[in-house]
Amino acid sequence: MATSLGKLGFHGKMILAPMVRVGTLPMRLLALDYGADIVYCEELIDLKMVQCERVVNNVLETVDFIAPDERVMFRTCSKEKDRVVFQMGTADPERALAVAKLVENDVAAIDVNMGCPKEYSTKGGMGSALLSDPEKIEAILTALVRGISKPVTCKIRILPTLEETVSLVKRIEKTGVAAIAVHGRMKEERPRHAVHCDYIQAVAHNVSIPVIANGGSLDLIKTYDDIEQFQETTGASSVMLARAAMWNPSIFRSQGMVSVDEVMEEYVKYAVRYDNNTFNTKYCLCQMLRDRVESPMGKQLHAAQTNEEICEVFGMTDFFKKTMAELEAYKKALDANSSSLSDQPVLDGDVITMAIKFERREYPPQITPKMYLLEWSRKEKLEQPVYETEQRAQDRCFQSTVMVANKKYRSTLWEKSKKFAEQAAAIVCLRTLGVPEGRIGEGYSGLVNKRKREEKKCTTSVDESSADLAHRKRRLTEPSQKEEQESNDSLVVVNGSCGQTVS
Ligand SMILES: Cc1cc2nc3c(=O)[nH]c(=O)nc-3n(C[C@H](O)[C@H](O)[C@H](O)COP(=O)(O)O)c2cc1C
């Protein structure tokens, strides 16, 4: 497939390296603010990613990839769209391709991690385990290059000899990857060991794709100017920084670094704004604190359990409250806007949708749209409406889809409770079909109101306890018993002692 490098290019670029827990959206945005050209996300494992659902988060203005357990695995936004590289851990070409296809429209490129020496990676054949399986490397990269329309890159560690390393990179080059990041350490070497600039240099000399030099953080790169020096020493096209950027991402700033305290504050702002996982926020801030991690501030940070408590540590409680209030107001405005936008049904795939909220005050007590829909379905001799509800992770709100006569109906607006979400879906269905829904002022429809009124009258006149009435309801409405118990919304088909059938 044809790929466009867009803003990537990989020539003369300063790149934020992939870093587990560190490389989430706040750090990536901060690195871009300070001057990084390209940012890699933390490594995400293909097995987890293939199960994710892509969800547009209108409140945060992000795109989220949400796991079945509701964890946000990957969150991204338009600001980084043409500069974020999605790194995955994989040992399986098909799965890798499935993940790449899932995210490709939201990222600038896809990278495969072939350098992680940790057991959790290597025992699944991923990370640096791939380095001794070049066929697998070729299969994965070829599948990706052919299967997606975005550039594909990979990140390796060096092999025991220069020749082996160059030979592997030449094989990789043939797969059509757009660039290769070379971490100048062998898989057995630890981060404290010296980086082998000569290996990176040999690779850069022997291939024509851009080589990204990595591994210089500890002793070679301490300032912005060192980045360029590292590129010259290695002869690489670009430089990728992990630890130096984790300790202070303003290393990407051409005018010189700003203080870590200032950086931490900016980081916390992004973490709150984008609802970053608290554990990751803490981890990242602790890395920035470095030897101050045992200070009173470090200990307070360590004890924090929420982003709000983290804000307290940095004297940013007001900021936290203001941001939360802004997000809440934005959410309300969005909801109000979409409800005023249209009452017209819109087809979304096979689902008929409308922007509708269920407002309890618009209906008389005991009357709901669900009741109306159920009663109408019975009258039309249709199967009972079937509701399916999902809950989204970011705010735990609900959205229901109701199936009636083989057609699906759903409100595009999310509700605070499952019951309300079902009512909203029922309204969409009723309004689409032009069937009364029981709203105050709608007038008598013959479906539910009268019976409910009658029921109330009878209940009062015979002074029945509600338990007795409920018992009789259950006995007399056998076909809808389950529905009645579940939702407390179905109708009384026979009106207690009055004995009137309604429909
Ligand atoms: C906290 C942390 C997390 C890391 N996570 C990843 C990762 O997810 N994927 C990856 O390819 N490398 C990962 N690495 C390795 C770095 O990307 C980089 O290769 C290594 O730190 C050497 O670069 P440096 O000298 O600039 O730190 C991680 C490193 C650190 C310090």
Side-chain angles (χ1 to χ4, degrees), residues 16-23 40-44 87 111-118 120 155-157 182-185 191 195 213-219 221 230 240-247 283 287:
L16 177 74
M19 282 182 276
V20 167
R21 288 188 290 275
V22 175
Y40 278 56
C41 75
E42 61 177 337
E43 177 195 46
L44 292 157
Q87 186 190 62
D111 181 80
V112 179
N113 183 359
M114 302 183 177
C116 182
K118 300 267 166 58
Y120 65 77
K155 177 166 175 279
I156 63 162
R157 281 184 174 233
V182 181
H183 176 188
R185 289 187 181 84
V195 59
N214 171 241
S217 275
L218 191 60
D219 28 45
I221 304 173
F230 188 57
M240 175 184 267
L241 296 184
R243 289 164 297 168
M246 170 177 78
W247 295 324
Y283 181 85
Q287 298 301 322

Side-chain angles (χ1 to χ4, degrees), residues 115-175:
C116 182
K118 300 267 166 58
E119 205 198 323
Y120 65 77
S121 234
T122 54
K123 75 171 182 232
M126 299 182 291
S128 61
L130 283 172
L131 295 175
S132 44
D133 193 349
E135 280 81 29
K136 181 69 75 58
I137 292 181
E138 283 169 344
I140 293 171
L141 294 178
T142 308
L144 289 174
V145 170
R146 289 193 185 146
I148 63 165
S149 57
K150 292 283 167 74
V152 175
T153 63
C154 69
K155 177 166 175 279
I156 63 162
R157 281 184 174 233
I158 56 173
L159 295 178
T161 68
L162 240 160
E163 294 68 33
E164 287 171 278
T165 310
V166 170
S167 158
L168 177 69
V169 176
K170 281 187 165 175
R171 282 183 80 164
I172 289 176
E173 182 180 30
K174 289 205 182 94
T175 64

Side-chain angles (χ1 to χ4, degrees), residues 369-371 373-374 384-389 400-404 418 421-423 425-427 483:
K370 263 187 88 179
M371 280 178 178
L373 184 56
L374 178 64
Q384 280 189 12
V386 177
Y387 294 84
E388 265 181 29
T389 304
S400 286
T401 304
V402 63
M403 168 98 91
V404 177
K418 179 171 177 272
E422 289 180 346
Q423 298 295 357
I427 300 173
E483 158 84 4

